[in-house]
Amino acid sequence: MDFLIKFAQAHETFRVAEIQALAVIEGVNLEILDYNGDSPFCIIRLHSSRDARKLIRRSILAQSAHELWGTGATLDALHQSVKQRTSKRWTEYKSVSFKFDIDSYQGAHSNNERLSTINTFDYLPFEGPIRMSQPDETFTVFELWPFNSVPLGIEKPTRIYLGRLVGKSSRETVLKFDLKKRSYVSTTSMDSELSLITANIALAGPGKLFYDPFVGTGSFPIACAYFGAMGWGSDINGRSIRGEGGPKSLKGNFQQYDIEARLGDVFAADLINSPIKKNRQIWDGIVCDPPYGVREGLRVLGLKDPEKTPWLIEQGKQNAASPDFVPPKKPYSFLVMLDDILAFAAATLVDNGRLSFWMPTANDEDQEIPVPTHPSLEVVVICVQKFNKWSRRLITYSRLSDERISAAAVAEYKARKTVGSVGTTVDDLNPFRRGYFRKFEP
């Protein structure tokens, strides 16, 4: 059966990625028949209306799913399509209550024109009552108009669809988790919409363990927990986790949404100095937004030159267990951090588990930072959120099973030269930061 998905006008490059991920989560066979990022309409093929409802029910970027009754370049062509596709099914809807809507994208109609269009469907043998509120069935005429059609005086749409509503999405969840309503946030907290989309693309769901190694105030574990996963997290800055305590803390955020039971634990650590054992595949998913190092240089636990400061090593051994102990930090290369994220994911993800992390880059191809690779991970999808001269990409990988990992690729990976930037200053160690403050000028 063919269905029409109506997307919200947001994050166009994320739409298909989210729908495809939801098909994996729900176990439905999805075929995308027609989609263009300039249009909010996507035509897909599924086995049944039940599958369509399952596919759409936790989507953030979709608004609704409709059984496709017909399509055409003109209203007459639409009517012909409707008769060819659905005439044998009209008796199923003969006695139900119903209503017709018109949804015009980039176009507009007067009320009289809308009513006139609806009346052209009077050949449908619907004898049930018309109910504008909570009818049994809702039929919608979707119109796709050219850009700027109203000021240009364009009189007709380029494509028209008729769809029967079969399911609505969870887009309203974005408002529930709006950062403006959250008790504890920081300047780097990921907004609720993108957090929920990331959790969907990473396949968060009941019975799964999800981890954020740059947890901050907890946006990603909260989104994963909402979809049923158990959320875990760590951060090099324990103060960002603790906050002021009570409601003004990461745990307080989980309590605010009544999902505290799905918070595994959070702890202070960095990615390469972690209590999590390597080569122990425990995580079903890793989701994170690593620091970009723009406000201040990236740091990792350790000493920049331990041979020159041996007393700090001894001091650390003596005071490490003290609650007031603040461990020293050393500069961290941006490129090394990206490499470490992939290595950590390869060592701790279950087979087919997903890593979804955000990575900034310049829009200029000559200054663009390449997508990092690892022989144990394959890229599933790359989604892009563009700003002015830079973008951030949500890169999603899947962990390969051991038998699928190429021995030659592993050998080549181990034989690489150092991936880090050369130098000692924060700009030397971070090509994105360097480009950001130069406004990405050549």
Side-chain angles (χ1 to χ4, degrees):
M1 298 176 68
D2 294 349
F3 297 86
L4 179 146
I5 292 179
K6 169 69 184 298
F7 284 113
Q9 283 305 107
H11 305 299
E12 288 83 355
T13 68
F14 294 73
R15 292 169 172 172
V16 170
E18 187 198 36
I19 287 295
Q20 289 176 331
L22 293 177
V24 174
I25 292 170
E26 301 291 354
V28 301
N29 292 321
L30 168 68
E31 181 182 356
I32 296 177
L33 302 179
D34 183 39
Y35 174 69
N36 184 309
D38 294 331
S39 165
F41 307 127
C42 177
I43 307 302
I44 63 173
R45 182 163 292 163
L46 297 167
H47 178 68
S48 64
S49 295
R50 181 175 178 271
D51 282 353
R53 286 190 288 272
K54 289 170 62 179
L55 180 70
I56 202 75
R57 62 186 175 186
R58 57 177 271 184
S59 174
I60 301 301
L61 288 176
Q63 292 180 329
S64 53
H66 308 256
E67 182 186 340
L68 186 64
W69 274 40
T71 179
T74 64
L75 193 56
D76 288 340
L78 172 65
H79 289 311
Q80 183 178 359
S81 176
V82 170
K83 292 173 183 177
Q84 290 175 346
R85 282 174 171 263
T86 65
S87 59
K88 294 180 179 179
R89 300 186 54 206
W90 291 350
T91 55
E92 298 176 32
Y93 306 95
K94 183 176 181 179
S95 302
V96 301
S97 62
F98 69 96
K99 73 171 181 178
F100 270 76
D101 282 334
I102 294 184
D103 186 325
S104 300
Y105 176 66
Q106 299 182 152
H109 285 296
S110 67
N111 287 336
N112 287 336
E113 290 172 335
R114 293 166 64 90
L115 182 59
S116 177
T117 297
I118 292 172
N119 285 337
T120 62
F121 292 90
D122 59 2
Y123 57 86
L124 294 172
F126 297 166
E127 299 176 359
I130 297 174
R131 290 181 184 165
M132 302 310 294
S133 177
Q134 297 183 330
D136 295 323
E137 301 291 346
T138 298
F139 295 88
T140 305
V141 179
F142 294 99
E143 296 180 335
L144 179 62
W145 291 70
F147 178 69
N148 262 355
S149 61
V150 175
L152 292 176
I154 297 174
E155 297 182 352
K156 295 184 181 297
T158 55
R159 175 61 58 176
I160 315 175
Y161 310 90
L162 178 66
R164 181 181 70 87
L165 178 66
V166 295
K168 294 184 178 181
S169 71
S170 294
R171 184 157 178 79
E172 72 282 352
T173 307
V174 173
L175 299 177
K176 176 181 178 179
F177 291 100
D178 189 345
L179 294 184
K180 294 178 182 178
K181 303 175 184 177
R182 190 172 297 176
S183 298
Y184 177 54
V185 297
S186 71
T187 55
T188 58
S189 296
M190 179 65 73
D191 77 79
S192 62
E193 183 175 25
L194 290 174
S195 296
L196 292 162
I197 293 168
T198 301
N200 269 340
I201 293 176
L203 309 183
K208 295 183 177 182
L209 302 181
F210 268 68
Y211 174 63
D212 181 356
F214 308 94
V215 71
T217 62
S219 290
F220 288 121
I222 286 170
C224 294
Y226 170 73
F227 290 124
M230 186 69 72
W232 295 71
S234 64
D235 202 286
I236 191 173
N237 184 1
R239 290 173 297 180
S240 66
I241 296 173
R242 296 188 297 271
E244 299 175 16
K248 298 290 185 178
S249 67
L250 185 150
K251 290 186 177 181
N253 285 340
F254 272 78
Q255 292 169 351
Q256 177 181 344
Y257 300 118
D258 196 27
I259 52 175
E260 188 178 9
R262 291 198 287 275
L263 173 61
D265 204 354
V266 286
F267 51 92
D270 69 20
L271 192 66
I272 60 175
N273 297 283
S274 172
I276 298 172
K277 293 182 179 180
K278 300 298 191 332
N279 299 318
R280 185 179 177 186
Q281 296 174 256
I282 58 173
W283 305 121
D284 296 285
I286 298 173
V287 288
C288 60
D289 182 26
Y292 304 159
V294 172
R295 291 184 178 86
E296 58 183 25
L298 296 172
R299 300 283 175 177
V300 68
L301 295 177
L303 298 172
K304 183 177 181 180
D305 196 341
E307 293 183 359
K308 292 183 179 180
T309 55
W311 65 89
L312 286 176
I313 297 176
E314 291 302 317
Q315 189 180 76
K317 291 179 180 178
Q318 295 172 10
N319 301 325
S322 170
D324 298 328
F325 176 67
V326 178
K329 301 178 181 66
K330 63 181 180 181
Y332 193 26
S333 164
F334 179 79
L335 297 181
V336 170
M337 177 186 69
L338 299 180
D339 200 59
D340 287 340
I341 291 172
L342 268 63
F344 178 85
T348 60
L349 279 174
V350 301
D351 291 351
N352 301 313
R354 289 195 174 186
L355 163 67
S356 290
F357 79 96
W358 289 83
M359 172 184 154
T361 189
N363 288 336
D364 187 336
E365 290 185 5
D366 294 334
Q367 301 182 59
E368 184 176 329
I369 299 172
V371 173
T373 60
H374 191 283
S376 298
L377 304 171
E378 65 176 355
V379 175
V380 176
V381 68
I382 299 174
C383 306
V384 181
Q385 181 186 26
K386 287 191 175 182
F387 299 106
N388 185 11
K389 293 187 177 182
W390 67 283
S391 304
R392 60 180 179 181
R393 296 178 286 195
L394 176 63
I395 310 174
T396 299
Y397 304 80
S398 178
R399 209 279 187 189
L400 298 171
S401 57
D402 290 341
E403 60 269 18
R404 293 183 59 201
I405 298 173
S406 165
V410 171
E412 183 180 351
Y413 177 80
K414 291 180 177 179
R416 296 174 310 160
K417 295 181 179 180
T418 304
V419 297
S421 305
V422 178
T424 57
T425 69
V426 291
D427 277 353
D428 289 337
L429 294 170
N430 190 338
F432 175 75
R433 186 181 194 273
R434 183 168 62 247
Y436 184 89
F437 283 112
R438 292 177 182 175
K439 299 182 179 179
F440 299 101
E441 299 293 340

